Amino acid sequence: MTTDRWRLVLGRYADQRLPAPTDAQGLRREEALDYLYGREYAGRGSREDRGDDGRDEGDGSGPGAGGLGPSAPRVVDWLGQVRDLFPTETVEVVERHALDRYGLTELVSDPEVLARMEPSQELLATLLTLKGRLDPRVLGEVRRIVRTVVDDLRRRLESEVRRSLTGRLHQHRHSPVPLSTAFDPRGTVRANLRHWDADRQQLVVSQPRFFERNTRRIPWEVVLLVDQSGSMVDSVVHAAVTAGILSGLPAYRVRLVAFDTSVVDLTDLADDPVELLMTVQLGGGTDIAQAVRYAEQVVEQPHRAVVVLVSDFCEGGPPSVLLAAVRRLVEAGTTTIGLAALDGSAHPFHDRQMAAALADVGMEVAALTPGRLAEWLAEVTAR
């Protein structure tokens, strides 16, 4: 076991015996674990937990102590850090200890605590991760938070996604509607050559030209395969919102499938991201091959189909089965892309070896924001 791991095991007792971590990531891991497991020291009489008057200086949240109260936002931030810093298996253990062993239960059981908290993507991610432990009494507040965050995210994404997907630039016709993304520089120069000012050596532009958008609709099947594992929570949220936007575009037939070790077709909820997110169950194992085989079954026109796999590529089954399924899709003419992340930052955590293997059998692999995914789909469907 490495020194850094021993420090994580021993906690604050390691300070006098082992050298401190040399990297910022190691320090963050120690701080994240100490936030929870440091509660073990409360009331044990250790010198560092007592003030000058000999009384405990803990935060009142040791075993059997009071709950979150106004510190609930700090707990949400902390759970987000844990998800960023540790693998899924570790995250599940830490979350279970936080709720069962140390009494941090108000976040999932007290509607008043949730009512005081500001809706955010971080809070939504935490609630989705802990959804299996939610008290029925808080579901109304949870639904309110989900709807607020989803509506805000949709407002920010919809114009960008729709602009990319409702028509490619027509390179031979111009539009009277001035749109910066459709500006035609060569056409503008040609149309304004007679306004050349020889004395100033400048072209005076009086008639800027803009490409017209081609709104011809071609029916394309878009199958979104969304990994429900705990590490993919942010991508699940963005996939749900993206599916809702795509469902409103008549040129695309959207099918949304969530998977872990089983496959659930949620296409009936694709146009309602709130209900979709209230339905998904994050966590558990991962059988990507089963989901890809399901996509094989539901694709009706392979040459007019796009399969988008949103996953960290941490396959729980035999890799050969997954690779064979992807190869069959590609050979049938279906366009495939694997997204290691689908969120605002496109910062992925994924199995790079599996991603490389998928690329070798013909799947494009990337980490994209929803806007960039829309641009990619537009390019594919314009071919």
Side-chain angles (χ1 to χ4, degrees):
M1 185 179 289
T2 65
T3 299
D4 286 350
R5 289 192 177 187
W6 271 116
R7 287 187 61 89
L8 294 178
V9 170
L10 296 174
R12 63 184 68 175
Y13 288 120
D15 288 341
Q16 296 179 356
R17 299 289 184 179
L18 297 173
T22 57
D23 64 314
Q25 195 84 329
L27 289 171
R28 290 182 64 210
R29 290 193 185 99
E30 289 192 8
E31 291 172 357
L33 291 185
D34 190 63
Y35 176 80
L36 180 67
Y37 297 106
R39 299 158 195 267
E40 290 283 0
Y41 303 108
R44 290 192 175 184
S46 60
R47 181 176 303 172
E48 60 192 284
D49 293 308
R50 295 180 176 274
D52 294 336
D53 58 1
R55 292 181 299 178
D56 287 341
E57 293 185 333
D59 59 2
S61 52
L68 301 180
S71 67
R74 172 69 181 98
V75 175
V76 172
D77 293 340
W78 168 72
L79 287 171
Q81 292 171 12
V82 170
R83 286 194 297 270
D84 289 340
L85 293 169
F86 297 98
T88 301
E89 297 82 0
T90 305
V91 172
E92 291 174 354
V93 172
V94 172
E95 287 177 348
R96 186 168 63 251
H97 286 173
L99 294 174
D100 296 342
R101 187 171 173 182
Y102 297 105
L104 305 182
T105 57
E106 284 89 339
L107 194 61
V108 294
S109 64
D110 191 336
E112 293 185 3
V113 169
L114 288 178
R116 292 197 303 267
M117 298 185 68
E118 186 69 24
S120 66
Q121 289 191 47
E122 292 75 15
L123 177 58
L124 173 58
T126 296
L127 292 174
L128 291 178
T129 302
L130 301 176
K131 196 168 64 173
R133 297 171 173 269
L134 293 177
D135 189 301
R137 294 175 299 171
V138 304
L139 291 180
E141 281 299 327
V142 171
R143 186 179 295 276
R144 176 188 66 83
I145 291 168
V146 172
R147 184 169 299 282
T148 300
V149 175
V150 165
D151 287 350
D152 177 65
L153 188 58
R154 184 164 187 157
R155 278 194 298 271
R156 289 188 280 120
L157 293 178
E158 190 156 22
S159 61
E160 181 181 7
V161 171
R162 282 180 173 270
R163 184 170 61 248
S164 296
L165 290 172
T166 53
R168 303 301 298 154
L169 293 180
H170 196 298
Q171 301 291 328
H172 304 291
R173 296 191 305 188
H174 289 90
S175 168
V177 180
L179 187 64
S180 61
T181 56
F183 180 65
D184 176 14
R186 292 185 179 180
T188 297
V189 170
R190 287 195 297 269
N192 291 274
L193 283 176
R194 65 179 181 274
H195 301 301
W196 173 255
D197 188 326
D199 294 333
R200 292 189 296 172
Q201 294 290 296
Q202 290 181 347
L203 181 67
V204 179
V205 177
S206 62
Q207 299 178 28
R209 292 296 183 93
F210 300 88
F211 290 122
E212 181 178 302
R213 284 193 174 270
N214 177 8
T215 57
R216 181 170 59 96
R217 308 289 185 179
I218 302 175
W220 277 83
E221 299 175 73
V222 178
V223 182
L224 279 170
L225 304 176
V226 184
D227 188 340
Q228 294 188 104
S229 61
S231 61
M232 297 298 296
V233 58
D234 290 322
S235 292
V236 170
V237 173
H238 281 76
V241 175
T242 302
I245 297 171
L246 294 178
S247 296
L249 301 175
Y252 300 90
R253 286 191 295 138
V254 179
R255 184 178 293 271
L256 191 142
V257 178
F259 69 91
D260 42 34
T261 53
S262 60
V263 174
V264 182
D265 194 323
L266 299 173
T267 301
D268 290 344
L269 299 176
D271 61 347
D272 190 342
V274 175
E275 288 304 318
L276 196 153
L277 291 173
M278 292 297 293
T279 300
V280 296
Q281 294 293 334
L282 292 168
T286 309
D287 188 345
I288 307 174
Q290 185 178 195
V292 175
R293 288 199 300 269
Y294 183 80
E296 286 186 88
Q297 298 170 15
V298 299
V299 166
E300 297 177 4
Q301 301 181 49
H303 292 279
R304 282 287 183 269
V306 179
V307 173
V308 181
L309 171 63
V310 184
S311 176
D312 56 12
F313 310 128
C314 296
E315 175 63 306
S320 59
V321 178
L322 170 58
L323 297 174
V326 172
R327 185 183 291 109
R328 288 193 300 272
L329 273 176
V330 173
E331 290 176 349
T334 301
T335 302
T336 63
I337 183 171
L339 295 183
L342 179 65
D343 56 35
S345 63
H347 182 66
F349 169 80
H350 64 288
D351 185 327
R352 296 182 182 276
Q353 184 174 355
M354 177 57 73
L358 290 169
D360 287 342
V361 298
M363 174 179 278
E364 295 187 46
V365 176
L368 302 177
T369 64
R372 291 289 296 142
L373 172 61
E375 291 178 10
W376 180 85
L377 284 172
E379 291 293 337
V380 168
T381 57
R383 294 170 187 169

